[in-house]
């Protein structure tokens, strides 16, 4: 069976570009090559540009700044062969005890976060890179670390639909 995708977590920009080119050549089919780039391509790849956390960008309330950072992240990702950015975090930062979301989120206001999520995704797509709306159905109301345990959302369906799912609907441009 053929491999259809890879995730890359670290390396120098030049080395990553060589690796992704080799992977594509050997596969002989189009590949999805992703990386966790919530804070820019420099988050994973040496020599590329790092970015502030989404909370800092969200606090600016400036969609042009969000589009600029997302566009730069996507261009740099594409320059090293990454065509799928695992970002933006669409979770609402609404539970102070949450060990996962925090500054990774644009904030806690559903509509505003949705607008910022949409701006990020659109900017990536305009650069020919896929984005990933994380972490459906929402990790912002959990108190467990999903890297170590099953995270459970303790909220009513009404709250999830009215608040928690708003950024995910915006990610789909389905407001």
């Amino acid at each position: 069976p053929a491999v259809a995708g890879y995730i890359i977590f670290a390396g120098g920009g030049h080395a990553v570009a060589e690796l992704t080119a080799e992977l594509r050549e050997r596969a002989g089919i189009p590949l999805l090559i992703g990386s966790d780039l919530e804070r820019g391509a420099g988050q994973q790849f040496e020599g590329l540009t790092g970015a502030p956390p989404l909370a800092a960008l969200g606090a600016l309330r400036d969609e042009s700044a969000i589009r600029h950072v997302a566009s730069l992240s996507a261009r740099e990702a594409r320059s090293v062969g990454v065509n799928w950015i695992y970002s933006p975090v669409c979770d609402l930062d609404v539970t102070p005890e949450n060990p996962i979301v925090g500054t990774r989120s644009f904030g806690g206001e559903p509509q505003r976060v949705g607008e910022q999520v949409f701006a990020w995704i659109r900017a990536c797509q305009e650069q020919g890179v896929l984005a990933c709306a994380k972490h459906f159905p929402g990790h912002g109301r959990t108190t467990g670390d999903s890297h170590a345990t099953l995270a459970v959302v303790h909220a009513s369906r009404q709250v999830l639909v009215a608040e928690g799912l708003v950024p995910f609907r915006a990610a789909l441009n389905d407001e």
Side-chain angles (χ1 to χ4, degrees):
V3 172
Y6 293 89
I7 181 171
I8 300 176
F9 281 104
H14 184 70
V16 170
E18 288 179 356
L19 172 63
T20 58
E22 181 180 350
L23 291 171
R24 284 190 167 86
E25 182 179 327
R26 287 182 172 207
I29 61 171
L31 294 176
L32 288 173
I33 299 179
S35 190
D36 208 355
L37 305 181
E38 294 171 11
R39 293 185 321 274
Q43 176 181 346
Q44 299 293 346
F45 309 127
E46 296 168 25
L48 301 183
T49 307
L54 295 184
L57 290 172
L60 295 174
R61 296 180 181 259
D62 180 356
E63 285 186 28
S64 67
I66 292 166
R67 286 192 305 272
H68 175 77
V69 171
S71 181
L72 175 62
S73 299
R75 282 194 313 274
E76 288 191 349
R78 199 181 69 230
S79 78
V80 297
V82 171
N83 57 8
W84 191 6
I85 293 176
Y86 301 147
S87 184
V89 170
C90 297
D91 306 311
L92 298 175
D93 184 25
V94 292
T95 303
E97 303 82 23
N98 182 296
I100 295 297
V101 176
T103 62
R104 296 171 66 197
S105 166
F106 283 118
E109 300 171 37
Q111 191 62 37
R112 184 169 58 89
V113 170
E115 292 165 0
Q116 293 169 331
V117 159
F118 180 75
W120 180 279
I121 290 172
R122 174 63 58 91
C124 287
Q125 291 174 339
E126 288 171 353
Q127 297 302 318
V129 175
L130 299 170
C132 179
K134 295 171 24 176
H135 304 91
F136 186 83
H139 206 328
R141 295 184 189 283
T142 65
T143 56
D145 181 345
S146 59
H147 299 101
T149 186
L150 178 63
V152 178
V153 176
H154 296 286
S156 70
R157 177 183 171 94
Q158 292 162 317
V159 168
L160 290 176
V161 169
E163 297 175 16
L165 297 182
V166 169
F168 294 97
R169 283 195 304 268
L172 298 169
N173 195 20
D174 186 31
E175 297 180 70

